[in-house]
Amino acid sequence: MSLASGLDLLAGLKKLRILDVTRMAHRIGPMELEWMQANLQSLEKVKGLFNDFYPALVPGVCDWLFEHRPKWGQEYLQKDFRYNDVRTRGGFWLGE
């Protein structure tokens, strides 16, 4: 899912509260996040933006979330998804 593949078709869903992209090979990047913030005013949660199977596929997603801190991205701000080193798997922090 991306703007190129039709994300903008959701613009008419003014009362959309939860967007679930779990198990989708989405391509949500900073441009899509900007669009969602501007067009989906009732959005409270985006499920599946990151998970073990689909880490951030588009560069800049984590940085955008940390910079803009949208209300629907709060669960992702509790973990630091920006760095994928030996302590992480798919963007999820595994602890020490």
Side-chain angles (χ1 to χ4, degrees):
M1 176 175 281
S2 68
L3 286 171
S5 70
L7 177 64
D8 58 333
L9 296 174
L10 300 179
L13 300 176
K14 299 297 184 192
K15 295 183 181 182
L16 181 68
R17 292 187 7 238
I18 298 172
L19 176 62
D20 190 349
V21 295
T22 305
R23 298 184 185 209
M24 291 178 66
H26 63 76
R27 296 292 187 266
I28 295 174
M31 190 166 61
E32 286 76 17
L33 298 174
E34 287 281 344
W35 183 89
M36 291 187 322
Q37 187 171 18
N39 292 281
L40 301 176
Q41 299 294 318
S42 297
L43 196 60
E44 296 172 3
K45 186 173 190 170
V46 177
K47 292 183 177 182
L49 192 55
F50 302 98
N51 62 48
D52 287 341
F53 304 104
Y54 301 110
L57 299 173
V58 180
V61 170
C62 299
D63 292 332
W64 188 94
L65 287 170
F66 276 84
E67 182 179 331
H68 293 89
R69 300 185 175 275
K71 67 179 181 180
W72 43 261
Q74 294 303 307
E75 73 177 272
Y76 302 114
L77 297 174
Q78 296 172 7
K79 303 175 180 103
D80 194 339
F81 293 95
R82 292 177 291 180
Y83 305 102
N84 194 6
D85 59 21
V86 295
R87 294 170 293 185
T88 64
R89 177 171 173 255
F92 280 95
W93 181 252
L94 296 179
E96 300 290 9

